[in-house]
Amino acid sequence: MTSLVIAEHDNAQLKGATLNTVAAAAKIGGDVHVLVAGGGAKAVADEAAGIAGVSKVLLADAPHLADGLAENVAAQVLAIAKDYSHILFPATASGKNVAPRVAAKLDVAQISDISAVDSADTFERPIYAGNAIATVQSADPVKVITVRTTAFDAAAAQGGTAQVETVAAVADSGLSSFVGRDLAKSDRPELAGARAVVSGGRGLGSAENFKILDPLADKLGAALGASRAAVDAGYAPNDWQVGQTGKIVAPQLYVAVGISGAIQHLAGMKDSKVIVAINKDAEAPIFGVADYGLVGDLFTAVPELVKAL
Amino acid sequence: MKVLVPVKRVVDYNVKVRVKSDQTGVDIANVKMSMNPFDEIAVEEATRLKEKGTASEVVAVSCGVQQCQETLRTAMAIGADRGILVQTDADLQPLAVAKLLKALVDKEQPQLVILGKQAIDDDANQTGQMLAALLDWPQATFANKVEVADGKVTVTREVDGGLETVSLKLPAIVTTDLRLNEPRYVTLPNIMKAKKKTLDTVTPQDLGVDPAPRLKTLKVTEPPARKAGIKVPDVATLADKLKNEAKVV
């Protein structure tokens, strides 16, 4: 029994989600290998070789693998899939994009967004926006899985002594091509992996008002998040969205400001260790999950809180 | 160009579902059902492509029980030209749906299939990608903008950290994200018109697909409940609690 973890990276650095996925693979048992498919990604493979618990790193390096196109990456995974009992992807935008393509080609069901490993063939996963947890068993010969990264502690990034082995890159599918990327630049920690998150909702009222959260986030070393309502209203960028269909976070501290707490939003943050809600509506559902709730006007409460901390 | 749009009948997104006490699933008897919100966005996008003259026909498809006809009628009220129901009482998982859809694609020969990125009941986020794999077509998931021109579809996708744009050769698969468009409200005259549109029914057997589930659900449980919290009277108390009680700052 050997598991293959598909590394998430930007060709220069390994992304943190890979470490959580390795941890999930370790819980399954057996050897853990990591595939780095990319372009000019040797440094990433070396980094992956250092992860504790990884016994081998496979590097497939080619220009047409650089941008993570699903057609090419899935073909690369399939080229080596026969050696593995479990193939795990982080449940990130790229993992979710590629994993089902691999599963369908292998004619196996995919198990999405697992939150726990019960045994080598039995896993837990949230359904209905996290309002229920399903325990599912797979009889397929290969288990293709995406891992909810916030549900597993990251494997240690150092201490491993795996060998890096180069594997032949598959040919370019020619079906799709990469045009461009527009990534938001930010000095703040990455939302999904942040220790603290400060999120704003429709209560902020405008994109301008969202800036009131900056000093609080700075003080806490927090990432900024947003509810769907705030994103749809244009107050915050798309990739800040926390919820069932956005990012799933589980930080030590989650501060919800001007967020009512629709079930779709709660699905993305209710596993946070400590939840703080600031809202002027005492009946808002967010108070049902908050450890500490403050009923009041956020425009006075947030600056006061910055001062008090 | 023909566009195929698969739609799913799911528990309405406003309903807070309850887990059954025997842990066999969630209780969906007598619960309001609606079209999956991402699928509404897919139907809307296909309809807009038709209104622009890019698409010639929009075909809505649903797989499941007989009541999925209502979901197809809604799709036709938004703008789909006709509907196909793959009727079965089987518990359909994404791989089975992808196989059923592949069989329909082989028959209908669309150039573009637009699906929702995920259904809000199983939260799987698999069917579009699986269909693309089975057909060996390119895919663009989590679409935020779709442009069809010169035998290609250019799609801007929502990814972690921002947006990226890919170009696919047609035929292709696109799955919708929330911000692709705002679906129109269905009007009463359009609901009446939708009743006159064609709705064909086929079975998995007609399509030569075995829809048996591959994953076995052993049990469905409530998520662990959070301990009830407290309301603090002022900011000073809040700061104090965070520092000294929760010790998170």
Side-chain angles (χ1 to χ4, degrees), chain B residues 14 18 121 128-129 141:
Chain B
N14 281 314
R18 285 225 174 84
D121 51 2
Q129 295 90 315
T141 49

Side-chain angles (χ1 to χ4, degrees), chain A residues 110-134:
Chain A
Q110 183 202 301
I111 310 145
S112 291
D113 221 6
I114 62 161
S115 53
V117 174
D118 288 1
S119 72
D121 67 357
T122 306
F123 308 91
E124 292 175 30
R125 57 177 306 265
I127 53 174
Y128 286 92
N131 284 304
I133 308 292

Side-chain angles (χ1 to χ4, degrees), chain A residues 253 274 276 291-293 305 309, chain B residues 230-249:
Chain A
L253 174 63
V274 174
V276 173
D291 299 280
Y292 303 110
L305 183 60
L309 289 175
Chain B
I230 55 161
K231 281 198 180 132
V232 294
D234 52 39
V235 170
T237 319
L238 176 59
D240 176 62
K241 294 269 188 201
L242 290 177
K243 278 182 196 159
N244 302 318
E245 192 175 275
K247 295 189 171 48
V248 283
V249 287

Side-chain angles (χ1 to χ4, degrees), chain A residues 97 105 107 245 270 292, chain B residues 117 136 141 214 226 245:
Chain A
N97 191 30
K105 283 283 187 192
D107 193 30
T245 62
K270 68 186 164 68
Y292 303 110
Chain B
K117 81 162 173 181
D136 271 320
T141 49
R214 303 282 281 273
R226 283 190 79 90
E245 192 175 275

Side-chain angles (χ1 to χ4, degrees), chain A residues 34-102:
Chain A
V34 173
L35 170 68
V36 176
K42 176 73 170 66
V44 178
D46 290 339
E47 209 182 332
I51 304 173
V54 171
S55 57
K56 198 202 276 187
V57 175
L58 304 167
L59 172 64
D61 213 304
H64 58 269
L65 290 170
D67 294 303
L69 291 170
E71 298 76 13
N72 291 339
V73 177
Q76 187 66 54
V77 176
L78 288 162
I80 57 169
K82 63 172 181 5
D83 298 332
Y84 297 96
S85 59
H86 295 74
I87 301 176
L88 298 95
F89 296 76
T92 54
S94 58
K96 290 174 184 174
N97 191 30
V98 178
R101 215 172 157 105
V102 171

